[in-house]
Amino acid sequence: MADRFFSSFEEGDPVPLAGEVGTGPGRPATAKAGAGFTGRHALRYERPGRVRLFEVDLPAGEHTELSYVVFPEEGLSIALDVELDDGSTLAGTLDPKAFYPGQWNLVRRPVPAGRTVRAIVLSGGDATGWLDDVRIADRPPRQHDPVDWVRTTRGTHSSAEFSRGNTFPATAVPHGFNFWTPVTDASSTTWLYEYHRRNDAANRPRLEGFALSHQPSPWMGDRHTFHVVPAGDLAFGHEHETDRPYHYGVRFDSGTSVELAPADHATMFRFSFPGEAVVGFSCNRGNVRLDPKRGIVTGHTRVRSRLSVGARRMFVYGTFDRPGRRRGKALAFDTGTVELRIATSLISLKQARRNLGQEIPAGTAFEQVRDDAREAWQGLLGRVELDGATEDQLTTFYSGLYRLFLYPNSGHEDTPSGRRHASPVVRRWWPSTRKRTGAKVLDGPMSVNNGFWDTYRTCWPAYALLAPARCGELIEGFVQQYREGGWIARWSSPGYANLMTGTSSDVAFADAYLKGVRGFDVHAAYEAALKNATVPPPNRAVGRKGLRESIFLGYTPLSTHEGLSWALEACVNDFGIANLAEALGHRDDAKYFRRRALNYVHHFDDRVGFFQGRHRDGRWRWSPQEYGPTRWGFDYTETDGWNMAFSVPHDGKGLANLFGGRAGLESKLDTFFSTPETGRNTGSYGGIIHEMTEARDVRLGQYGHSNQPSHHIPFMYLHAGAPGKAQAVVREVLTRCYLGSEIGQGYPGDEDNGEMSAWYVFAALGLYPLAVGSPVYVLGAPLFPRATIRLENGNQVVITTSGTGMYVRRLRVNGEWHEQSWLAHDVLAAGATLEFTLGEEPSGWGGPPPSLTEGDAPPRPLTDLTGHSRPDLAALFDDTSRTQITFDTATPAIEYTVDGPPRPVEVYTLTPGSRGAPTAWVLEGSADGRHWETLDSRADETFRWQRQTRPFALATPAALPHYRLRVTAATGRRLSLAQWELLAGER
């Protein structure tokens, strides 16, 4: 890029004709305070109206553009323009909503070729704020392979106060064992690299070294950090930084440069110093040992954040390409250029050395390591080819794919006896030594670093579509957690972190299998999901909270923190389990979980028209007078009642029926998108959390695209019969919420393990996995003229658009007109051509997608029959598995009498206690309590776990006043039961 004009308002720069040069914003959320974007100064504007800022005389070439950064404080209607030689100005206007208030924003505007710029003009009306880095430059278009559009610094212009991604520039191979990253704060396990906020006194970015990292997010924290620190002043400018997935490089102001290229368990550094090379090492918890004569560094790291559950020791083995001299905790060399190969292991120091030899043998050229990593990324990112995308869209899209395929991570290693791993989930462990881990080392693969509450929504469906073989391998690594620790982590970092709601691997893995993903033990995955859904967990870090009661009540009571969110996530997961059960031939389970997926209705308070929490006795948390849908927390995880009002992506028709029909759902959504979020109704949080501020600054009403629970909401317009409104919201999000790639922004909130990226990828392609757990995508208006997806099976999906606008007028699939707003996965997997015709106005195209509920009545899940039995058996019917009855025999007979008119029993459940479990029984019914008929008979049944609730479906529903359960065999001399439940439908 060749500058024709530039002013950063520093000494020696062109002097502005208006405004006042000052020291920059006082308290920015994500940037350095008291400084410009670059340099120490910026231009202060206060209600400038329209003023000439600079007089210039600049002929414009074919690729000339005006660019600047702006920090709006009050008012967003601020823009720089130019006056051309004929008195005209730049074409088009800026959308004020594209600016984030209280943050630096980058603006680029093309200047018409062949004209001469006479002045740069500031238009601001009543706005106030700061302006910096005003530039007129030639910026020719670039051609890159997909991988070279990626910016790994994207999302790093963030803080705990406001997330524009909250990422760090991870250099790694896809799903790699290690990350390596530059760090601006070597003492931190949270915000490792801040694009701007930690700049030095001269407002220059400054590194404190290069870190080994395994951080899934700053909120989870890092583990096993180990720092490589080149000597000297490490200040630099971002223009001297290379931030690619396969290659990080930086040239410091001092003249020193550092490059690194990754392998799976290893990486390679290349250092170039203007004088002698000096490279140091540090570890906050662990040790470092140097062998100068052989140029070897060894050590281990025990660094771990509070949420790095299951992390043990990691061993480090590195070797320079020449011997050195000890200088404290550094090695000095007689040359200015040295290379370091370094590898890690969770098993032993010996295995770290083996990993290095396997992945980067001695004599390997730096370029070879870099090119191998590049090829690995290009092989994945190149599966989607875009035509007609802008440079910013290409950076956004392919950076999103990079983030998608960065996580989850491998936790296994290739040893002499095969693939093995240090288990993060086995509770028992052995004393560690200087050379060996404290974890139990087991055979097989291991996957780690994933928050399923975030990733089930878009990441796992994206793996299933774009990389199904890799998807199967990753799932198998998580199934290994179940085999070893008895559960799959809700948040794996790397073990069982007690965080977030829902056991969302249930629906994620069901979705993958239903879309044809293989290569994992689906029966073990199903067992793990079944355990999550039917067995009370032994502690808070695994399973579903509140399950001891919610499984029988049909709702999650207030005794469970944020129980409403737990309840609605359970319905989504039960939907996936039902569909997987059907595919695997478990008919009773399928029927039970399909009806259980409708339990969301038990949390819908039709007095207020929202979902809210309930006491155990059924009372609502808030009266209609007290209830406020903009109040954060209490029943809702990281959101409010408005954003949970549509959390039924698997049953949009059922949700619509609760609102009075499709028109009622449309009206509710309209109000949602027009009701401003203030970011001030803190509710149970007691203070403002960053999600509140981010949701406010998205400026789409209550819609918080800044956080994952809201991501599906625009697509719920499809169930309302208003696809045009979905298309309009999605297009606005695509075009203004993912801006700022070139200044370290790019996201409107936390980019958790690739989920926010995958949302962009799907939405930009015109696809979205709304009902995860079913092999269906809903359709929208693609962002690009043409996209080609090269599927792993050799087929292609080609998506094209014609016409202008954001609305779908019509669609042809494989040459045939397609009138529905959804498409089956099988159609894409077989290879397909989707031809969208777009228009400027909404059309009638797009019939609603499939839904659990059919018809216009509200959903009616099965509910427990109210009745009574002998007083001494009351614990069998008290809606909790905490209690149990232990009988004096293994073969008791238990009678139950219905209160009120009988309803047809379709399913019954049994929950054994802690002693013997039933293996055979007969369920009988009677009209008079004397004459009994057999309704169901079972033999050779097994309960895999204590207090597991198992469903059994009747071949023919029965509506009788009396029921009897006769147990005919059990596993012990005495039988214990925690619950017997009769689930009936409506008459």
Side-chain angles (χ1 to χ4, degrees):
M1 182 170 63
D3 286 351
R4 292 170 176 262
F5 172 89
F6 178 76
S7 179
S8 187
F9 307 104
E10 302 299 318
E11 185 176 350
D13 287 349
V15 177
L17 302 176
E20 182 179 347
V21 175
T23 56
R27 196 185 179 280
T30 62
K32 182 177 177 62
F37 183 73
T38 60
R40 294 188 174 100
H41 301 96
L43 183 72
R44 175 70 177 175
Y45 61 85
E46 294 192 23
R47 300 170 178 82
R50 182 178 176 85
V51 295
R52 295 166 73 87
L53 201 60
F54 296 102
E55 302 282 358
V56 296
D57 187 10
L58 300 170
E62 184 180 359
H63 306 297
T64 301
E65 69 172 18
L66 167 71
S67 67
Y68 57 97
V69 290
V70 60
F71 189 102
E73 290 182 338
E74 293 183 15
L76 298 174
S77 296
I78 179 73
L80 283 190
D81 205 337
V82 300
E83 288 184 5
L84 299 172
D85 45 12
D86 64 352
S88 64
T89 57
L90 298 179
T93 58
L94 298 180
D95 178 4
K97 291 181 75 174
F99 291 146
Y100 270 82
Q103 298 187 41
W104 291 108
N105 298 265
L106 173 65
V107 181
R108 295 188 180 280
R109 304 185 70 183
V111 178
R115 311 300 294 275
T116 298
V117 179
R118 299 299 188 192
I120 299 173
V121 179
L122 174 63
S123 299
D126 290 333
T128 63
W130 298 87
L131 189 70
D132 205 2
D133 291 4
V134 178
R135 175 182 276 113
I136 294 178
D138 292 330
R139 191 166 177 265
R142 299 167 292 167
Q143 296 293 323
H144 287 318
D145 288 334
V147 67
D148 295 313
W149 285 111
V150 175
R151 302 292 301 270
T152 63
T153 53
R154 200 169 177 274
T156 64
H157 199 149
S158 299
S159 72
E161 295 177 45
F162 201 107
S163 175
R164 298 304 300 273
N166 271 340
T167 65
F168 63 100
T171 311
V173 296
H175 307 292
F177 187 80
N178 292 327
F179 306 134
W180 283 90
T181 179
V183 291
T184 57
D185 185 355
S187 67
S188 176
T189 58
T190 54
W191 278 264
L192 312 178
Y193 175 105
E194 290 183 278
Y195 193 89
H196 192 272
R197 201 180 199 200
R198 288 183 62 87
N199 284 5
D200 64 16
N203 200 19
R204 298 289 283 171
R206 182 179 295 274
L207 296 185
E208 293 186 352
F210 299 85
L212 170 66
S213 172
H214 301 84
Q215 187 190 90
S217 86
W219 305 107
M220 300 303 292
D222 208 352
R223 62 185 187 272
H224 298 141
T225 57
F226 184 93
H227 293 96
V228 179
V229 186
D233 187 346
L234 302 185
F236 71 102
H238 289 296
E239 68 274 16
H240 297 138
E241 193 176 31
T242 299
D243 54 340
R244 300 291 179 263
Y246 58 88
H247 181 205
Y248 180 84
V250 58
R251 187 174 80 249
F252 298 105
D253 297 348
S254 63
T256 296
S257 64
V258 178
E259 298 174 273
L260 65 91
D264 194 353
H265 302 77
T267 197
M268 190 167 183
F269 283 89
R270 181 159 62 189
F271 305 92
S272 295
F273 291 79
E276 68 170 1
V278 180
V279 181
F281 302 90
S282 68
C283 179
N284 293 338
R285 290 188 64 207
N287 67 32
V288 179
R289 294 173 180 266
L290 301 177
D291 182 345
K293 292 183 179 179
R294 295 192 297 164
I296 290 175
V297 56
T298 60
H300 74 266
T301 167
R302 295 181 292 117
V303 175
R304 50 168 287 177
S305 67
R306 179 179 60 85
L307 287 171
S308 293
V309 181
R312 305 301 179 195
R313 290 192 175 198
M314 174 166 271
F315 299 91
V316 179
Y317 182 93
T319 178
F320 285 94
D321 60 347
R322 66 195 68 223
R325 305 183 308 279
R326 183 187 297 274
R327 188 173 293 177
K329 289 188 177 181
L331 291 181
F333 302 88
D334 293 331
T335 179
T337 301
V338 294
E339 293 180 342
L340 168 66
R341 298 176 300 119
I342 190 167
T344 66
S345 170
L346 289 168
I347 297 174
S348 67
L349 184 62
K350 182 179 180 180
Q351 182 63 35
R353 181 176 182 179
R354 174 183 169 83
N355 290 342
L356 182 61
Q358 289 183 130
E359 296 182 10
I360 311 179
T364 303
F366 180 88
E367 290 76 12
Q368 183 64 53
V369 180
R370 180 193 64 196
D371 292 349
D372 287 348
R374 184 183 187 279
E375 183 178 351
W377 281 109
Q378 177 62 21
L380 284 171
L381 275 55
R383 292 183 182 184
V384 184
E385 181 181 327
L386 305 179
D387 293 329
T390 67
E391 290 190 1
D392 186 66
Q393 289 169 344
L394 290 166
T395 294
T396 303
F397 189 91
Y398 289 115
S399 296
L401 284 180
Y402 149 76
R403 287 288 304 178
L404 172 67
F405 288 114
L406 192 62
Y407 298 98
N409 301 111
S410 67
H412 49 261
E413 307 170 52
D414 289 327
T415 74
S417 55
R419 181 178 284 184
R420 308 196 78 201
H421 63 272
S423 178
V425 297
V426 174
R427 293 178 66 88
R428 181 186 176 197
W429 60 283
W430 287 257
S432 58
T433 69
R434 184 167 62 85
K435 296 184 178 181
R436 291 191 177 277
T437 181
K440 189 172 184 180
V441 179
L442 299 171
D443 294 338
M446 176 57 60
S447 298
V448 298
N449 277 8
N450 215 240
F452 287 101
W453 180 77
D454 296 300
T455 60
Y456 87 84
R457 306 166 197 273
T458 58
C459 289
W460 287 98
Y463 301 139
L465 177 64
L466 300 176
R470 188 176 295 260
C471 181
E473 294 171 2
L474 294 170
I475 293 174
E476 180 64 16
F478 283 112
V479 171
Q480 188 69 24
Q481 290 187 359
Y482 166 68
R483 296 191 188 99
E484 293 174 11
W487 305 84
I488 293 175
R490 295 199 307 267
W491 228 121
S492 169
S493 67
Y496 298 137
N498 176 23
L499 203 71
M500 307 318 297
T501 55
T503 53
S504 303
S505 60
D506 303 346
V507 69
F509 298 167
D511 185 82
Y513 184 82
L514 295 168
K515 290 174 178 171
V517 173
R518 299 298 182 263
F520 69 99
D521 185 344
V522 67
H523 300 289
Y526 179 73
E527 274 190 21
L530 202 64
K531 188 176 184 182
N532 281 333
T534 63
V535 179
N539 58 68
R540 297 175 62 81
V542 295
R544 298 189 189 179
K545 293 182 181 178
L547 192 66
R548 290 184 188 277
E549 296 176 324
S550 65
I551 196 172
F552 307 113
L553 293 172
Y555 57 88
T556 305
L558 297 187
S559 54
T560 298
H561 179 61
E562 297 175 344
L564 184 281
S565 287
W566 275 98
L568 297 195
E569 293 295 346
C571 292
V572 171
N573 282 288
D574 289 348
F575 171 73
I577 293 173
N579 290 337
L580 181 58
E582 189 72 40
L584 297 179
H586 303 299
R587 299 283 178 85
D588 288 1
D589 288 352
K591 181 172 184 177
Y592 172 67
F593 284 109
R594 187 163 290 114
R595 298 299 288 270
R596 223 172 80 168
L598 301 175
N599 277 348
Y600 64 88
V601 301
H602 297 312
H603 274 286
F604 185 77
D605 184 353
D606 57 11
R607 303 173 306 164
V608 298
F610 288 91
F611 294 106
Q612 70 155 315
R614 304 179 72 171
H615 294 274
R616 194 187 190 284
D617 61 10
R619 290 178 296 117
W620 299 105
R621 178 192 286 274
W622 307 104
S623 69
Q625 294 74 31
E626 296 171 315
Y627 182 79
T630 64
R631 183 191 291 119
W632 280 63
F634 289 105
D635 302 321
Y636 315 115
T637 300
E638 293 185 358
T639 190
D640 63 7
W642 265 118
N643 282 272
M644 292 301 294
F646 309 100
S647 293
V648 191
H650 60 294
D651 192 24
K653 184 62 165 68
L655 180 67
N657 293 349
L658 292 180
F659 291 128
R662 296 196 192 278
L665 175 58
E666 181 180 4
S667 176
K668 194 80 170 183
L669 286 163
D670 289 346
T671 305
F672 169 77
F673 283 106
S674 62
T675 301
E677 169 61 67
T678 66
R680 292 290 185 270
N681 198 343
T682 58
S684 63
Y685 287 101
I688 296 172
I689 62 174
H690 73 102
E691 287 90 352
M692 297 173 188
T693 307
E694 292 153 11
R696 178 198 67 194
D697 288 354
V698 167
R699 286 158 293 148
L700 277 166
Q702 283 290 305
Y703 178 52
H705 188 79
S706 50
N707 206 10
Q708 281 73 17
S710 305
H711 277 184
H712 69 286
I713 295 177
F715 301 97
M716 296 301 285
Y717 267 124
L718 302 177
H719 285 293
K725 292 182 177 179
Q727 293 152 20
V729 173
V730 170
R731 180 58 60 91
E732 183 171 354
V733 173
L734 287 172
T735 53
R736 72 171 181 81
C737 289
Y738 287 78
L739 301 176
S741 298
E742 291 193 49
I743 58 172
Q745 298 166 347
Y747 298 99
D750 282 350
E751 206 301 285
D752 287 312
N753 296 162
E755 193 283 335
M756 196 167 285
S757 290
W759 189 96
Y760 182 95
V761 168
F762 269 123
L765 292 173
L767 306 169
Y768 192 77
L770 176 59
V772 180
S774 64
V776 167
Y777 305 92
V778 295
L779 303 171
L783 188 58
F784 314 117
R786 182 183 180 93
T788 302
I789 306 172
R790 295 181 174 84
L791 301 176
E792 211 169 64
N793 61 12
N795 296 327
Q796 290 189 1
V797 177
V798 179
I799 302 170
T800 64
T801 63
S802 60
T804 59
M806 66 180 74
Y807 300 104
V808 179
R809 292 178 55 201
R810 53 184 179 267
L811 167 65
R812 289 198 302 181
V813 176
N814 296 330
E816 301 291 331
W817 293 113
H818 186 84
E819 299 299 330
Q820 303 303 316
S821 64
W822 60 277
L823 195 65
H825 175 83
D826 286 348
V827 175
L828 297 183
T833 299
L834 281 62
E835 301 171 274
F836 290 85
T837 302
L838 305 183
E840 301 288 347
E841 299 292 335
S843 73
W845 173 88
S851 193
L852 266 182
T853 297
E854 298 177 355
D856 297 327
R860 298 194 181 277
L862 299 177
T863 55
D864 197 3
L865 277 181
T866 303
H868 60 276
S869 185
R870 296 191 335 241
D872 61 319
L873 299 179
L876 289 183
F877 310 102
D878 60 358
D879 291 334
T880 177
S881 59
R882 294 181 185 276
T883 60
Q884 67 180 39
I885 298 292
T886 300
F887 297 89
D888 293 333
T889 175
T891 57
I894 309 162
E895 294 187 15
Y896 187 77
T897 299
V898 177
D899 294 338
R903 293 181 289 122
V905 173
E906 299 182 32
V907 175
Y908 64 99
T909 72
L910 293 176
T911 307
S914 58
R915 302 283 295 270
T919 60
W921 59 84
V922 177
L923 177 67
E924 298 170 323
S926 172
D928 57 11
R930 298 188 303 274
H931 303 89
W932 298 91
E933 61 177 302
T934 297
L935 304 178
D936 190 51
S937 179
R938 303 282 171 152
D940 300 322
E941 295 290 348
T942 301
F943 288 81
R944 295 185 182 91
W945 309 281
Q946 286 186 355
R947 301 186 189 273
Q948 178 197 7
T949 299
R950 282 195 61 196
F952 304 94
L954 300 185
T956 303
L960 295 165
H962 304 281
Y963 295 88
R964 182 169 67 185
L965 178 70
R966 288 194 300 108
V967 179
T968 57
T971 57
R973 293 181 180 179
R974 303 172 70 187
L975 174 73
S976 66
L977 283 177
Q979 287 286 287
W980 171 31
E981 187 181 34
L982 295 163
L983 296 173
E986 299 295 329
R987 277 193 173 278

